[in-house]
Structures are given as C-alpha cells and as structure tokens.
Amino acid sequence: MKLVKGLFLGTVAGLAAVTGAQAADLPVAKAAAVEYVRVCSTYGAGFFYIPGTETCLRVGGRVRAEYTYLEPTTRESNSIGFLARGRVQLDARTATAYGLLRAFVRMEISRNTGVYANSNGPGTGTSPNIAQAYIQFGGLTAGRTTSFFTNGDVANENWGTLRFYDYPDVNLLAYTFSFGNGFSATLSLEEGSFATNLATDLADVGAGQRLPDLVGNLKYSGTWGSAQLSGALHQLRTNTLVGGDYVDSELGWAVSGMVNVNLPALAEGDALWFAATYADGALGYLGFDPDNSVGIASGTAVDAYVDLDGDLDTGRGWSLAGGLNHYWTPTIRQSLFGSYARVEYGSTAPVADFTEWRVGSNLIWSPVSGLDIGVEALYSNLNPRGIVGADDDDAWEGRLRIQRDF
C-alpha cells in the first residue's frame, strides 16, 4: 500500500514539474500603455493635448435663447420674434519652428421665428452656418473669420444694430506683420461682407464680382486698450447699358478709426469704445446691409446709382458710434451705446438722403461664470432729407437674452 501511495505522489509531482516548465516557456502578454489626456496650459484654460500629438485642443460652444419685440410699421409686419441658437467650436494649436499653427472652426445653427425670420406673418427659418473656419500659420490667415477692417478688441456689448462695422465674418486671405511693442499691420483680400448694392429706379443691377475688397489696417494694443486705423477698396460694377456700352466700373472706399480704452479705475472690466467711419461707394462699411433688413427706421442705403449722364455716381456717408461698459458688481454689468449716421446722394439719385441715430442700453446679470441673463432696449430715428412732406420714422426695440458659453 505504501508502495502504491509513493508511486502516485511521485507521478503527481512529476506532472506538476513538467507543467510548470512548459508554462515558463510561454510568452507573457504585456498590458498596453495607457495614454492619459494631458492638460495644455500654454494657450490658456481649457486646452488639452490630443493624445499622441503635440497639438493642443479646446472644445467650446454656446447656447443662446433670445426674444424680441420690434415696433411694427404695417399690420402685416411681425412685432415679436423667437430665436434659439446653438454653437460648437474647436480651436487646435501647435507650436512650430515657423510660429504658431492654428486651426479654428465655429459652427452655428439658428431656429428663428417672427422678426428673426425676416418675414411678414407667421414664418420660421433654420440657418445652419459655418460662422468661422480659418487657418493661421505665422502671420498668415486663410479662411473665414472677422474682417480686418474692424478692431476685434472693441468691447461693444450692444445686441441691436449700431452704425459701424460690427464684427462681420467674411472669407479672406490675409497677412499680419508684427513689429513688436504692440504694433502690427495687416493686408487682407476679402470677399465683401455685403454684395454690391446698386440702384436704377430702386432696382438692383449689380454685375459679377471681379476683384476682392482690399482691406488694410494699422493697429496698436497695450495695457490701456487699443487703437486701429483701417481702409478698404470696394469695386462697383453694373449691367446697365448706355449707348450700347456698359457703364464704367468704379472703386468705392472707406476709412475708419476705432479706439478701445480700459477703465479699471471705475471698476474691473469697465471699458469705453469709439468708432468713426467715412465711406464713398462702400456704405456696407458704415453698417448698412444691401437687404435693408436691419430693423425699423432703416434708410435705403445703396452704394451707387447710374445718373442721367450714364455715369456711376456713388453714395457717401459717415457714422459715429460709441459705448461704455460698466460693472456695477462683479456679476451685474450695463452697457450704454449709440450711433449717428448720415448718407448723401446727388440730386438725380433714385433714393433720398437721410440721417439716422440710435441709442440703447442693456443690463446683464451673470449669476455664475458663463451664464448671461439680460434685457436691452434700443430706440432708432430716421430722418429723410430733401423730401417734401416726409416725416421722421422711429421705433422701439426690446430684447430678452439668456446665454450660456462654455
């Protein structure tokens, strides 16, 4: 019996030894390395490294809900409107031997009704939009972004329309020269943010675009604020035939000065801004759009018209705009703003000269970071000039906005 037991135990021990030796010969699988997301502090808060790259990415967005009352001019005109807008944006940045390489995309979709849909009676509108999409490489900027005619540092917080070049996004190709100590200059080829608006008996007769707008600026930015001088050339072409030949094309132009001054002595975040613009044949740079759909008390502003001699005569105008932002408390701020514009044409023009002024204010509460709840009131007055019996046209506009940025 002892012999049998000894043989059995010996066999088990032998099998265990063989099995252990075979297991030691098997390859051992290594766990895959875990790639953790790293914070990128080089470009500010919210950036992180895309795993496996040296590119920093920030994901952001916005949700805006807005409700407007606009004084109607006819029974068919809407007086109320609802707006819901969603925004998603991506900002990718990489440091290279040639300077910063940046790609930025901002996508928006709006759902509009009433006055926002720009229609009479019930109506809705859905507008998906690539608001911005551009590449920056060193001093080069290519794609769609804010026009270089405007000063991007201007701290205007008006929601309604004022008469100055208020942050329009356009397709462009630009190069910025940095001179150091806050000085820079930019030369930009831009697709006009507004189509050429010509008039012959109030009919649009614009011809195809042949040249982009040529925009340039000189800018200084410092701790006190910023100042910028801008200029633009804008081609005017028409399909009108006079004596069997097309009317000669003309060049419209505009110049502007914009200043932003920080006022920390009043309160942290306070700022004062001012803009002055003159335009000849490029009235879009005064803040007038070719659809004349910028609210009640809006004059018909056309860039040019064909006169009785068959020449293309340009409209001329100027505008002044400004505002003050003040923080009553760290969470409650208010803006007061206004603008004045004057537009003139020749005696044979099919549209009238006019002056227009606008003034408004808003009050915004930010109970938590990234959330704004505010109301705004805006008054506008239009005064046609040189028309017998023509009365001033004025209107009130009110808005409620709730907005979350992240």
Side-chain angles (χ1 to χ4, degrees):
M1 190 66 181
K2 291 182 178 180
L3 179 61
V4 174
K5 185 177 180 181
L7 290 173
F8 177 74
L9 292 175
T11 302
V12 172
L15 290 174
V18 172
T19 303
Q22 291 177 345
D25 294 336
L26 292 176
V28 178
K30 295 182 179 179
V34 178
E35 185 124 30
Y36 295 98
V37 174
R38 295 178 295 150
V39 173
C40 175
S41 58
T42 305
Y43 306 109
F47 283 90
F48 61 89
Y49 285 98
I50 299 175
T53 75
E54 293 301 315
T55 296
C56 296
L57 178 68
R58 188 182 188 281
V59 179
R62 167 183 292 175
V63 175
R64 174 183 295 174
E66 191 172 278
Y67 313 90
T68 291
Y69 170 80
L70 184 64
E71 189 174 344
T73 55
T74 67
R75 186 173 179 83
E76 292 78 17
S77 301
N78 291 309
S79 61
I80 61 172
F82 289 66
L83 178 147
R85 176 172 297 163
R87 169 190 292 181
V88 176
Q89 61 189 38
L90 304 173
D91 189 351
R93 306 187 189 189
T94 307
T96 75
Y98 301 94
L100 177 67
L101 172 59
R102 183 186 186 193
F104 184 89
V105 179
R106 175 178 293 168
M107 299 161 286
E108 293 182 348
I109 297 181
S110 300
R111 181 71 173 180
N112 308 320
T113 65
V115 294
Y116 290 105
N118 196 25
S119 61
N120 293 328
T124 61
T126 302
S127 55
N129 179 33
I130 298 295
Q132 294 189 0
Y134 62 87
I135 297 170
Q136 288 181 320
F137 184 49
L140 178 69
T141 301
R144 182 174 182 83
T145 187
T146 304
S147 169
F148 284 96
F149 188 83
T150 194
N151 182 358
D153 295 333
V154 169
N156 62 307
E157 285 210 67
N158 58 289
W159 302 341
T161 301
L162 291 182
R163 298 308 180 194
F164 79 111
Y165 209 48
D166 188 12
Y167 296 101
D169 293 325
V170 298
N171 297 329
L172 56 79
L173 177 63
Y175 193 89
T176 299
F177 303 87
S178 296
F179 306 118
N181 297 321
F183 289 94
S184 66
T186 299
L187 188 63
S188 181
L189 300 177
E190 302 186 0
E191 185 176 11
S193 61
F194 49 93
T196 297
N197 195 28
L198 302 174
T200 298
D201 298 329
L202 295 181
D204 289 336
V205 290
Q209 189 179 43
R210 292 294 183 270
L211 295 174
D213 284 12
L214 178 62
V215 174
N217 71 44
L218 293 173
K219 183 175 181 179
Y220 172 77
S221 294
T223 56
W224 61 268
S226 66
Q228 177 172 307
L229 293 176
S230 305
L233 291 176
H234 177 67
Q235 187 185 40
L236 300 168
R237 302 181 71 245
T238 175
N239 281 326
T240 302
L241 288 168
V242 176
D245 295 323
Y246 288 109
V247 174
D248 291 338
S249 300
E250 298 288 345
L251 281 178
W253 55 275
V255 293
S256 180
M258 299 185 184
V259 178
N260 187 81
V261 180
N262 299 321
L263 301 173
L266 295 179
E268 185 66 29
D270 281 21
L272 175 70
W273 66 273
F274 180 77
T277 307
Y278 181 86
D280 186 333
L283 300 185
Y285 288 101
L286 298 179
F288 293 98
D289 70 6
D291 297 324
N292 307 311
S293 57
V294 286
I296 302 299
S298 299
T300 300
V302 297
D303 287 337
Y305 62 95
V306 179
D307 63 17
L308 298 179
D309 296 326
D311 296 323
L312 198 58
D313 280 358
T314 57
R316 296 162 299 281
W318 54 272
S319 69
L320 301 174
L324 173 65
N325 303 332
H326 175 61
Y327 279 77
W328 295 102
T329 72
T331 61
I332 298 177
R333 66 187 187 273
Q334 184 176 11
S335 294
L336 178 65
F337 43 83
S339 68
Y340 180 87
R342 179 167 179 167
V343 176
E344 297 177 339
Y345 300 94
S347 59
T348 61
V351 290
D353 301 347
F354 66 88
T355 59
E356 182 203 67
W357 58 273
R358 293 168 173 258
V359 63
S361 182
N362 58 37
L363 187 65
I364 304 171
W365 176 45
S366 301
V368 297
S369 177
L371 176 64
D372 289 341
I373 302 173
V375 293
E376 179 179 279
L378 177 71
Y379 176 78
S380 56
N381 180 279
L382 175 71
N383 179 18
R385 301 171 63 246
I387 301 178
V388 177
D391 296 326
D392 289 6
D393 184 15
D394 58 4
W396 283 94
E397 179 179 339
R399 296 172 185 256
L400 167 63
R401 175 180 290 182
I402 304 172
Q403 180 172 293
R404 167 71 194 281
D405 290 278
F406 57 91

